Amino acid sequence: GTREPAPIDLETGGAAADKAKGSHLTCGGAVRVARPDRARRAIVSFVDEDAGLVDVMYPKWGGGEEEEEGIKSKFVHKLLEFETAGGAPKRVD
């Protein structure tokens, strides 16, 4: 039968969050792919350090994912603290 994919955790940084000393380019790690026209959160699925390329998966609303291969590593960035802290701070009046 068909199995549903495991949910992808983009809030905590995924596997990369556990490796604070290591590179953000870690398989299973949550990253931001930033290009001139837009930025998207993604999960790293493969890293080719020699070629400087990264493959990622973009989670889709409602389940599943969209894959993109061969992204130049200069476009793949570590998630910023506010992207992994569960959102912006609450406003206090």
Side-chain angles (χ1 to χ4, degrees):
T2 304
R3 243 187 343 174
E4 289 294 318
I8 298 173
D9 182 7
L10 288 174
E11 296 299 320
T12 62
D18 296 333
K19 300 180 180 183
K21 295 183 204 172
S23 169
H24 63 284
L25 298 179
T26 303
C27 287
V31 294
R32 181 174 13 91
V33 178
R35 295 207 170 106
D37 56 334
R38 76 180 197 177
R40 296 173 72 182
R41 287 188 191 185
I43 302 295
V44 175
S45 59
F46 181 77
V47 179
D48 184 341
E49 291 179 9
D50 295 333
L53 300 175
V54 181
D55 296 352
V56 300
M57 296 180 300
Y58 301 107
K60 291 182 175 182
W61 291 103
E65 64 261 336
E66 171 188 337
E67 295 185 50
E68 185 174 1
E69 298 178 352
I71 301 169
K72 290 183 181 179
S73 60
K74 70 179 184 178
F75 294 118
V76 183
H77 304 279
K78 181 178 180 179
L79 291 179
L80 300 175
E81 185 176 334
F82 77 88
E83 293 176 294
T84 61
K90 303 274 187 274
R91 181 177 166 168
V92 179
D93 291 323

